[in-house]
Amino acid sequence: MRTFDSGEKSLKRLAVHTITTKPWSIHEAIQKYSAKGIGGISVWRDTLEGENLSVIGREITDAGLEAVALVRGGFYTGTKEEREKSHEDNLRAIDEAASIGAPQVVLVCGSTPGISIPDCLKQIEDGIGRTVEHAEACGVKLSIEPLHPMYADIRSAVSTMKAANDLCDEINSPVVGVAADVYHIWWDPELEKEIKRCGDADRLFGYHICDWKLDMEDMLQDRGLMGEGVIDVASITRMVDQAGFNGYQEVEVFSKKWWAADQDLYLEAIIDAYLNKC
Ligand code: ZN
């Protein structure tokens, strides 16, 4: 993987999540990102259905891109049966990441109504722990992504960088770390301390950027581009860089509004927002 200097912001350091330009196939995304000089691509699994994964991996490198992450695994909570099913799927996600040459799988850890948050966290710890050996064997890292607490009902019992760091401490494996996404963590008064803690332990594996809109209409599919909302992305980027992070800056935006727009113009807006508004 390429590494970047602290404070560097360049198209080479920019990665885009395929979900951001959802209307495009994986082939279109690779071609369009590459044509703009973008350095990285984070691949959502829905774009891989029916595709030959090693061919996709070659297509990515031939285009001069790097696969930054496979998104996503996780959902470790629930009944024993549900957890077994998700365990199998998480092993597959690790295999898929290895096949396309992505060094990490991003984990949305899950939460189940009726199971307390502490019990969900225990299930998450067990679930990740069960896949560590396979991840190590495949050379793939596992990145716990804390989600905003508004998703603590069904998406993730891991709501803060502190909770993610605590989980990493418990699991204690060099392949288990954290993906920090500004959308989920910007509000946290302990953010700087916990980002530093994560960096000091060499566990900060990913950094996702977007914005939190004041006129958000949908808690899932109305994220903003950087500059469209209230997050001071630049200051979080500084915290992350100061914690020793030298990886890609990944734009990840779910937005019905932007998906309805011309995707070529949208990609230009993404680049402009990245270079000039954060
Ligand atoms: Zn994210």
Side-chain angles (χ1 to χ4, degrees):
M1 282 285 278
R2 292 181 194 120
T3 55
F4 303 91
D5 293 333
S6 179
E8 178 173 347
K9 191 202 272 181
S10 63
L11 285 180
K12 273 283 162 240
R13 196 178 188 181
L14 168 62
V16 179
H17 279 238
T18 57
I19 192 82
T20 304
T21 55
K22 194 179 176 186
W24 281 341
S25 70
I26 184 68
H27 307 283
E28 287 172 309
I30 291 168
Q31 187 209 331
K32 305 273 192 183
Y33 300 174
S34 159
K36 291 286 182 194
I38 290 167
I41 183 169
S42 291
V43 179
W44 278 60
R45 295 172 79 191
D46 61 292
T47 65
L48 296 175
E49 270 166 39
E51 301 285 352
N52 178 321
L53 300 193
S54 48
V55 170
I56 298 293
R58 266 202 308 281
E59 216 173 298
I60 289 170
T61 48
D62 288 351
L65 294 164
E66 279 191 316
V68 179
L70 182 85
V71 196
R72 60 201 187 190
F75 293 99
Y76 298 101
T77 64
T79 62
K80 192 162 173 23
E81 200 183 9
E82 286 166 334
R83 283 181 282 145
E84 281 308 314
K85 222 173 132 192
S86 85
H87 177 62
E88 295 303 319
D89 187 58
N90 281 308
L91 295 178
R92 271 197 302 277
I94 292 165
D95 292 337
E96 288 169 23
S99 297
I100 66 163
Q104 62 181 311
V105 176
V106 174
L107 306 176
V108 169
C109 291
S111 187
T112 299
I115 302 178
S116 73
I117 295 291
D119 285 347
C120 283
L121 289 170
K122 191 77 199 118
Q123 291 187 346
I124 292 164
E125 185 188 324
D126 292 345
I128 296 173
R130 285 177 75 189
T131 56
V132 160
E133 203 174 314
H134 188 59
E136 273 173 5
C138 294
V140 172
K141 292 182 173 179
L142 304 171
S143 305
I144 298 167
E145 179 166 4
L147 297 199
H148 190 280
M150 70 176 171
Y151 300 121
D153 52 354
I154 56 168
R155 286 195 171 74
S156 185
V158 184
S159 303
T160 58
M161 286 294 291
K162 179 181 186 302
N165 279 327
D166 289 348
L167 264 176
C168 289
D169 280 349
E170 289 299 327
I171 298 165
N172 193 24
S173 158
V175 300
V176 178
V178 180
D181 184 326
V182 299
Y183 187 76
H184 299 298
I185 59 176
W186 66 275
W187 55 273
D188 183 352
E190 297 199 306
L191 189 57
E192 186 159 17
K193 184 176 103 189
E194 291 296 328
I195 285 176
K196 184 175 185 307
R197 175 182 166 200
C198 194
D200 286 348
D202 283 329
R203 282 178 182 146
L204 191 47
F205 295 165
Y207 179 51
H208 304 173
I209 55 176
C210 64
D211 213 336
W212 179 283
K213 292 167 61 180
L214 287 178
D215 58 351
M216 186 191 303
E217 287 171 0
D218 180 326
M219 64 193 265
L220 204 55
Q221 298 180 322
D222 193 19
R223 291 193 192 190
L225 274 183
M226 296 75 73
E228 288 189 314
V230 296
I231 302 177
D232 185 351
V233 176
S235 83
I236 302 176
T237 299
R238 269 194 300 279
M239 289 176 204
V240 164
D241 274 9
Q242 277 164 12
F245 180 73
N246 61 8
Y248 283 91
Q249 294 166 343
E250 307 170 47
V251 172
E252 182 192 30
V253 176
F254 317 100
S255 165
K256 283 184 191 163
K257 184 197 114 195
W258 280 112
W259 291 332
D262 177 302
Q263 296 298 285
D264 288 294
L265 295 178
Y266 176 31
L267 189 57
E268 283 174 25
I270 290 168
I271 289 170
D272 178 57
Y274 171 69
L275 292 177
N276 303 312
K277 293 172 187 160
C278 68

